[in-house]
Structures are given as structure tokens and as C-alpha cells.
């Protein structure tokens, strides 16, 4: 304690990181001290620790600090900025007493508690932002902060302590969050500049003297949940002329709670609770100010659907809605609906309502039922869905589904959406029109200087005949079509879009054939191939059947659709595998490939080598000393097998299903 007290020549201090506690008065009256850093490890700061250090201009309180002693920074007249990061500090009694030049007091985002008296008397503060993590504001926390004009209390705050904002005469408005259940005694007393206060819906008690002397208040609303208001709570609120009381259960009042307000002050109370307030002992002195007239009650009238009908207020007694006033409402149904009852159970139409509070009344209409028939113009080429009985204004999805090689064209009302969202407005028949698919045929010569091609049309319905004819020019010969057909003229049934090339060759030129096959047609199919001249290109495709996928071609290419350059007759084999992991895993060793094909284990690249296949019991089920390509091993049943090729040490686990 007092280790460096009165060291007026001391200008800066470095406190080592191992320090966890700063004792009482170690630096008080060190007026030359302009800079000090409090280590993050410090958990407590003693009383008068830096009192009268008039040269200090800023200070940061670390997050670990849990207690700050009395007057720890008192009379630091040069202090203008404080960063308070203590997450859970529980005591800081007048820690910044008479530090009237502090204008910037910030809180860390993780601060949960604002301790009592923390900012007591900081008249230089004009605004403060309380972090969202704060749940409680301690007693006297901002007492006598007379320059404070703005403060936002976060939604997480559940309690506001006694005198928390007392004598904050510059404060003009405050909103008490819904999480707060009680407001402490004197919490806002003598906040004379306060003109607006919003009290959260969860508040159940308002303490004594809470708003004492708030002369700028002209009106206040007491939420429905309040059960008690302390003595002198609104005493000497000289401008208060209207108090809106929402509680239907009369709250208890302390002595002189609303005394010394304006002469024409009124209490607006719930209509149905007038007798309860009037006869309650605590409200005896205010019974002549109780008022239930001219209350701006609201009545909301509505229909259970805007499509079914409308509701109107036929008549209402008076300009404003009075307690037990009458309102006549009328429900007018649409031609497609019938009024059934009101939401209050009444069936009269018009109906007379007696109001004692805000009201909502809904007219319940019953819609007519209509039949929607969804049909196909030809059931052999397309089907539809969506027919049924529906309420007026129901939205129904109708769908037209064409058979293979046909397509949906439109509905009979011209709409082309499919699926379509149809709104039911009456009995209706909707017909889907389908048409046969149209395909394009395009036949061309491989070289227009060698010959020409004619065809019987360009667009054809599915399975319609098309005839193409190739005519060679002098010096050239027609060698066939790119799909391998040599007929000329060539007539075929159109089943898809067709691209044909007529191959014209000169003497000495050759045409080569590309053949595509599936290793197992039960797993996948292939298309493409045909004929081309040397250097020409042909596109080939492999498509897995449902439940299977393409793996590779026999030349190890893994593109399911590819264009190959032709330099001779060639065959491409496509291999497939199950999507569920069934089949045989592909391996690669010494360019040896193993695949599944129609219940067989097929080896490629193993010619001249010994091949042995074992089951999971270690029994050899197949052996060959010199395999031929490809080597096919028939498997009698599903299971897991081991394959050994030649002297290769690796064995491959193969699953066959």
C-alpha cells in the first residue's frame, strides 16, 4: 500500500503481467503520472489506487477485474476516456468520483453487469451505449450524470437498480425493455428533462419514488402486468395529465403515488374494470379522475378469406368508441360463398356488438364446392392429373404427362404452363392437347465437290419414313452412309434427330468402320459409331441403365460421350458398374483390367499369363496357365473373390452380385 504515493515526478508505470492485484493507494497523488497499463491478469484494484493522479487522461479496465475499490480513480481531473471491459465486476463504489471531465466511457461487448456507483456523478457524459450482454444495472450506476441525454438499455436487462439514473436531468427519453420485471426505487427520480418513457410489458412492480420529480412527463402507460406501484412513484410529475392504466386487475398504490400532478390529470382505465378501480381503497383519492370515456378503442372486422366475402361496420355510437358502446357489423358474402357465423359464435347478420375493449371479429364464410375435370385429348398419347372436387378459390396443380415420342402442347384455354397452378372459380373442364414428336433429318456429303445428297424433307413425325439419296460426281464413288448403311437410296423410319453424311471416295481411298458395343447390355447401352474416311471423326456414347453407371471404354477413356478420330476399323467396348457398389472393382496392374460382365469375371491384358480365382474360403474355383484375351471366368454364385494374375503379389478382392 502507498508504494508510490505522492511521487509527483513519476510519469509512467509498467505493471508486469504476473501482477493479479493492485493494492490500496499505491499511486495516489502521483500527479505527474500520464500513462499506466493495467495487465490483463489483474482481478482487483484497491481503494484510492490511482486517486488524484491528475495527469492521467485515459485508462482501460481489463476483463478479469471483479472488484474496484472505493474511489480508486477519484479526482483524476485530467481523465477524459475510460474503457471498461470487466465482464463480471461486482463492486466499484464511486470508482470515478469527481472525474467530471470524463466524456467517453465505453463498455466491452462482453460486460454482463454494470456495478453500483460505477459512473456516479460523471456529469461530463452526454451519451452511453450499454452492451447487449448486460443483464443488470446496479444501484446508483449513473446517478447524477446530469449531462447524459441518451441511453439505450439492452433487451437482455432484467433489473434496474435503485437510483440507477437518478438526477440525469438531461435525459429526454427512455425505453425499459420487456425483460425487466421490476424498476428500482428512485431509479429515474428528478429526471426533469424526461418527456417520454416506455415501460416494458414484463414489469410487475414500479418502486417507490421511481419517477419522482419527472416534471417533463405528460403521459405514461402502465402495462397490464403491473401489480404494484410504490409510494411517491410519480409524485411531483407536474406535467403529467394522462395515465393509461392497462391492468384489468387493480394494482396496489403506495402513498401519494400520483400526487402533485396537473389539476386536470385523468386515468384511462379498462372499461370492464371501472367499478374495481373506483371501489379500491388505494385508489380512493383518485376516484374522481378515473375516466373510461373517450377511449380510443379499436374494432377490427375481417373475413376468414378475402375471396369469400367482406365485412362492414354499419353503425357505431359516437365518434370514439365508448365503454359498452354498440357497433353493428354486417357480413356480405361473395356469390360463390355463404356466410355461416361470426368468430364470437353469433350467427346473426347483421350482428350487434357491445364493446368494453379492443375487439376483433371475423366473419366465417363457407365456400361453394366445384368440380374440376382434367382430361387428355387422346389418352393413348398422354395422361393428366388434378381432377376432383374443390373449394372456391382453391389453387390446384394440374399436370399433363406425354407418352414416349409425344409432347404436351397446351391446355384448351390457351395456357401452356405444365405443371400449372389452376385457381378454382367454378365447375370447369380443362383439356390437355398432346402431339407426336417432330424430328429433324440433315443429310450432307462429306465433300460437296465429290457429290450431292437429296432428301425427302427436313422435319418428320416420329416413325415417318425419310428417303435420302447420294449422287457421286465424276471421278468419285459413293461408299456408304456415316451410320454404316450402304443402301442408296436409303429409306428409314425417323425415331430421333438424324445427322447423316454421304461418304464419297476417290480411287485408292478407304472407308473405315467404328463399332461400339456394351460389355453388358443389362447394365448399359451404347450408341454412335459408323463409318468415316481416314482422319474423319465419329461421336460415340455410353449410357448406364437404371441402377448402373458407365465406368470406362476398353481403351481406358472415361468420357461417356466422346469424339474419336478414325484411322482404321476399330471396336470400342463400354463397361458399366452398379450404383450400389455391386459388380467387380476395376484394378490396374501391369495394364491388366478386371471388369464384370453378365455374371462373369472378365480379364483383359492377361494373355499368356496364369490366372487363378479363389473364393473367400480360399478354394480355387478357376485356374488357367496361359490366358487368352479376354479371359472369362463364369461365377456360379454371388460373393467376394480373389484374383491372382501371374506372379504378381497383389490380389484383388472382387465383388460379384
Amino acid at each position: 500500500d502507498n508504494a508510490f504515493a505522492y511521487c509527483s515526478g513519476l510519469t509512467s508505470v509498467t505493471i508486469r503481467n504476473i501482477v493479479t492485484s493492485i493494492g490500496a493507494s499505491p499511486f495516489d497523488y502521483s500527479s505527474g503520472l500520464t500513462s499506466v497499463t493495467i495487465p490483463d491478469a489483474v482481478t482487483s484494484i484497491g481503494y484510492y489506487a490511482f486517486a488524484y493522479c491528475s495527469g492521467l487522461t485515459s485508462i482501460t479496465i481489463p476483463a478479469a477485474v471483479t472488484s474496484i475499490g472505493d474511489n480508486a480513480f477519484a479526482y483524476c481531473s485530467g481523465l477524459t476516456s475510460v474503457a471498461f471491459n470487466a465482464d463480471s465486476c461486482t463492486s466499484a463504489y464511486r470508482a470515478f468520483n469527481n472525474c467530471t471531465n470524463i466524456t467517453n466511457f465505453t463498455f466491452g461487448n462482453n460486460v454482463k453487469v454494470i456495478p453500483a456507483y460505477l459512473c456516479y456523478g460523471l456529469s461530463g457524459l452526454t451519451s452511453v451505449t450499454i452492451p447487449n450482454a448486460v443483464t443488470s444495472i446496479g444501484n446508483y450506476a449513473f446517478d447524477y450524470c446530469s449531462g447524459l441525454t441518451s441511453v439505450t438499455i439492452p433487451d437482455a436487462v432484467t433489473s434496474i437498480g435503485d437510483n440507477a439514473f437518478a438526477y440525469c436531468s438531461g435525459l429526454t427519453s427512455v425505453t425499459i425493455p420487456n425483460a425487466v420485471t421490476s424498476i428500482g426505487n428512485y431509479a429515474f427520480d428528478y429526471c426533469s428533462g424526461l418527456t417520454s418513457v416506455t415501460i416494458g410489458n414484463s414489469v410487475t412492480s414500479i418502486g417507490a419514488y421511481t419517477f419522482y420529480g419527472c416534471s417533463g412527463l405528460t403521459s405514461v402507460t402502465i402495462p397490464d402486468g403491473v401489480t404494484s406501484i410504490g409510494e411517491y412513484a410519480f409524485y411531483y410529475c407536474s406535467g403529467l395529465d394522462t395515465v393509461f392504466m392497462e391492468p384489468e386487475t387493480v394494482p396496489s398504490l403506495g402513498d401519494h403515488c400520483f400526487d402533485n400532478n396537473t389539476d386536470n390529470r385523468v386515468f384511462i382505465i379498462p372499461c370492464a374494470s371501472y367499478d374495481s378501480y373506483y371501489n379500491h381503497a388505494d385508489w380512493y383519492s383518485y376516484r374522481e379522475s378515473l375516466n373510461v370515456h373517450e377511449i380510443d378503442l379499436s374494432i377490427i372486422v375481417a373475413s376468414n378469406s378475402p375471396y369469400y366475402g367482406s365485412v362492414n361496420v354499419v353503425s357505431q355510437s359516437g365518434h370514439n368508441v365508448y365503454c359498452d358502446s354498440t357497433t353493428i357489423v354486417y357480413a356480405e358474402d361473395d356469390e360463390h360463398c355463404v356466410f355461416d357465423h361470426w368468430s364470437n359464435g353469433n350467427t346473426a347478420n347483421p350482428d350487434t356488438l357491445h364493446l368494453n375493449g379492443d375487439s376483433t371479429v371475423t366473419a366465417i364464410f363457407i365456400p361453394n364446392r366445384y368440380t374440376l375435370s382434367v382430361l387428355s385429348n387422346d389418352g393413348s398419347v398422354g395422361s393428366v392429373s388434378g381432377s376432383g372436387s374443390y373449394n372456391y378459390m382453391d389453387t390446384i396443380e394440374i399436370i399433363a404427362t406425354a407418352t414416349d415420342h409425344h409432347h404436351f402442347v397446351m391446355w384448351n384455354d390457351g395456357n401452356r404452363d405444365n405443371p400449372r397452378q389452376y385457381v378454382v372459380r367454378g365447375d370447369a373442364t380443362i383439356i390437355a392437347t398432346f402431339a407426336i414428336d417432330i424430328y429433324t433429318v440433315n443429310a450432307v456429303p462429306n465433300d460437296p465437290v465429290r457429290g450431292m445428297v437429296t432428301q425427302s424433307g427436313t422435319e418428320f413425325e416420329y416413325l415417318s419414313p425419310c428417303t435420302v439419296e447420294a449422287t457421286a460426281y465424276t471421278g468419285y464413288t459413293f461408299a456408304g452412309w456415316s451410320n454404316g448403311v450402304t443402301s442408296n437410296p436409303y429409306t428409314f423410319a425417323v425415331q430421333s434427330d438424324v445427322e447423316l453424311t454421304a461418304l464419297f471416295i476417290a480411287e485408292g481411298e478407304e472407308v473405315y468402320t467404328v463399332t461400339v458395343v456394351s460389355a453388358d447390355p443389362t447394365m448399359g447401352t451404347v450408341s454412335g459409331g459408323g463409318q468415316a474416311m481416314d482422319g474423319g471423326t465419329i461421336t460415340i456414347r455410353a449410357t448406364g441403365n437404371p441402377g448402373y453407371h458407365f465406368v470406362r471404354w476398353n481403351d481406358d477413356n472415361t468420357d461417356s460421350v466422346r469424339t474419336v478420330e478414325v484411322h482404321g476399323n476399330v471396336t470400342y467396348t463400354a463397361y458399366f458398374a452398379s450404383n450400389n457398389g455391386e459388380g467387380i472393382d476395376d484394378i490396374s496392374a501391369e495394364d491388366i483390367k478386371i471388369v464384370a460382365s453378365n455374371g462373369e469375371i472378365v480379364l483383359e491384358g492377361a494373355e499368356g499369363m496364369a490366372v487363378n480365382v479363389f473364393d473367400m474360403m480360399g478354394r480355387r474355383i478357376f485356374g488357367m496357365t496361359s490366358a487368352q484375351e479376354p479371359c472369362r471366368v463364369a461365377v456360379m454364385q454371388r460373393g467376394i473373390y480373389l484374383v491372382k494374375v501371374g506372379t504378381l503379389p497383389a490380389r484383388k478382392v472382387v465383388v460379384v452380385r
Side-chain angles (χ1 to χ4, degrees), residues 263-500:
D263 294 338
N264 60 346
R265 176 208 53 227
V266 294
F267 296 91
I268 308 300
I269 62 176
C271 294
S273 301
Y274 179 82
D275 290 343
S276 299
Y277 277 83
Y278 191 85
N279 294 317
H280 196 286
D282 289 352
W283 287 81
Y284 181 82
S285 61
Y286 307 116
R287 63 196 308 179
E288 299 305 322
S289 298
L290 299 179
N291 199 323
V292 294
H293 298 288
E294 300 295 326
I295 301 176
D296 189 16
L297 297 180
S298 67
I299 177 171
I300 300 173
V301 292
S303 165
N304 63 327
S305 171
Y307 302 117
Y308 295 170
S310 60
V311 185
N312 300 298
V313 175
V314 178
S315 67
Q316 182 172 299
S317 56
H319 175 70
N320 294 316
V321 181
Y322 295 87
C323 284
D324 203 32
S325 63
T326 59
T327 296
I328 299 175
V329 291
Y330 174 69
E332 184 175 359
D333 49 38
D334 183 270
E335 61 177 316
H336 300 281
C337 304
V338 176
F339 169 76
D340 189 72
H341 66 278
W342 300 98
S343 54
N344 60 10
N346 294 347
T347 57
N349 187 31
D351 190 26
T352 301
L353 306 177
H354 296 274
L355 303 179
N356 284 311
D358 293 343
S359 299
T360 299
V361 62
T362 302
I364 309 301
F365 297 94
I366 304 299
N368 293 343
R369 297 283 289 182
Y370 293 107
T371 299
L372 175 63
S373 299
V374 185
L375 306 175
S376 168
N377 70 321
D378 185 343
S380 66
V381 299
S383 60
V384 293
S385 64
S387 294
S389 177
Y390 303 104
N391 288 336
Y392 174 65
M393 293 306 293
D394 278 353
T395 298
I396 307 302
E397 183 175 73
I398 59 177
I399 302 173
T401 305
T403 60
D404 290 343
H405 306 294
H406 293 81
H407 60 276
F408 168 77
V409 178
M410 64 187 212
W411 305 98
N412 60 320
D413 60 358
N415 187 291
R416 296 178 181 272
D417 295 338
N418 186 36
R420 175 184 177 184
Q421 303 303 309
Y422 182 83
V423 179
V424 177
R425 293 183 171 88
D427 293 333
T429 298
I430 304 296
I431 302 173
T433 299
F434 299 92
I436 194 167
D437 288 347
I438 302 296
Y439 297 108
T440 300
V441 175
N442 184 32
V444 296
N446 64 333
D447 187 340
V449 302
R450 297 184 173 205
M452 62 177 289
V453 176
T454 58
Q455 61 184 70
S456 58
T458 57
E459 291 187 343
F460 299 85
E461 292 184 350
Y462 175 66
L463 293 182
S464 294
C466 173
T467 300
V468 292
E469 184 174 2
T471 303
Y473 294 152
T474 302
Y476 298 97
T477 303
F478 172 71
W481 301 97
S482 55
N483 62 358
V485 175
T486 57
S487 300
N488 189 32
Y490 169 36
T491 300
F492 56 93
V494 178
Q495 301 181 54
S496 62
D497 291 335
V498 176
E499 295 286 339
L500 274 179

Side-chain angles (χ1 to χ4, degrees), residues 549-560:
H549 63 275
F550 170 75
V551 177
R552 65 177 181 87
W553 298 97
N554 58 314
D555 63 352
D556 293 335
N557 186 288
T558 57
D559 296 329
S560 61

